Amino acid sequence: MYKAEKMKFEISIKHYGSHALLIEWPGVISDEILADVLRLNQLILGYFKDKAGICTTPSYHSLLVQFIDSETIQSDVIVKELHELYTLGCLANRKPAKKIFIPVCYDESLAPDLYELSTKKGLTPEKFAWLHTTPLYRVFCVGFLPGFIYLGGLDPLLCHPRKDIPRQKVIRGSVGIAGSQTGIYPGDSPGGWNIIGNTPLQLFKKQKNNPSLAEAGDYVALYPISKEEHEQIRQLIEMGEYEPKIVTHDG
């Protein structure tokens, strides 16, 4: 059982369409704010468990609360309840975060921007890849494609703006850098991130109850693999004989 402290950020709650509410925190990317978002998310899920069907979407510094019964939020009563829930910070079970190990191949055939980016940073591609796999990343958001994960914790030396002209096609599993974040594409898509590697893992499986491999608040550890290992894992996944390593993160 986890006792949440009284919340300390100024939040705003506003109607978001006809059957949803958007709760917003200060527009800063930080572990502290994300932890606050996830705390309130758990409080809301517990509070409304027996009252109304809801779906929540936590992100960097916001929380979208969608009500299955749109009539539920026609009154400002719920807005008041949410403010009180946040202010009181009552008892809540803290959902344990996962630590997901994701293999990444940095071979130039799968990393079209790695050489150029590493040269700009005064690094060899090997050193760049080493620095990229050193941090323990935090999942701050899952979007803009189903299963696309936004990872915070990138080494400041590797930060780089997104490309001026996006590619028309970025292949599935591409690992990219944009600004101070790393992102992983769950499927083929146009995109403007600097592609510096590729993972053979499937980040989104629509047939599963929880289709996304990661969710906001989880942790990701990247580790380097060769092109041969990338192909071996890809084949094992196609045969249904490979699952990524996932453990509970206690930090």
Side-chain angles (χ1 to χ4, degrees), residues 103-105 172-173 198-202 225 229-230 233-234 237:
V104 178
C105 177
R172 188 185 83 178
N198 187 280
T199 179
L201 297 189
Q202 292 179 324
I225 57 173
E229 290 172 315
H230 182 281
I233 294 173
R234 186 191 66 78
I237 290 173

Side-chain angles (χ1 to χ4, degrees), residues 129-204:
W130 181 82
L131 290 172
H132 190 248
T133 54
T134 298
L136 179 62
Y137 292 95
R138 192 80 186 272
V139 180
F140 276 96
C141 181
V142 180
F144 67 102
L145 298 168
F148 186 105
I149 56 176
Y150 293 83
L151 303 176
L154 183 67
D155 188 309
L157 181 59
L158 307 186
C159 296
H160 198 77
R162 66 175 61 235
K163 300 177 76 68
D164 293 331
I165 302 176
R167 287 186 173 87
Q168 293 186 0
K169 181 180 179 180
V170 176
I171 65 171
R172 188 185 83 178
S174 289
V175 178
I177 287 175
S180 60
Q181 296 182 92
T182 282
I184 305 179
Y185 287 77
D188 294 352
S189 167
W193 292 51
N194 302 280
I195 305 305
I196 49 89
N198 187 280
T199 179
L201 297 189
Q202 292 179 324
L203 273 63
F204 188 82

Side-chain angles (χ1 to χ4, degrees), residues 53-71:
I54 64 169
C55 176
T56 60
T57 306
S59 185
Y60 298 91
H61 36 70
S62 67
L63 177 61
L64 181 66
V65 184
Q66 296 173 282
F67 291 83
I68 295 173
D69 178 5
S70 61
E71 296 180 358

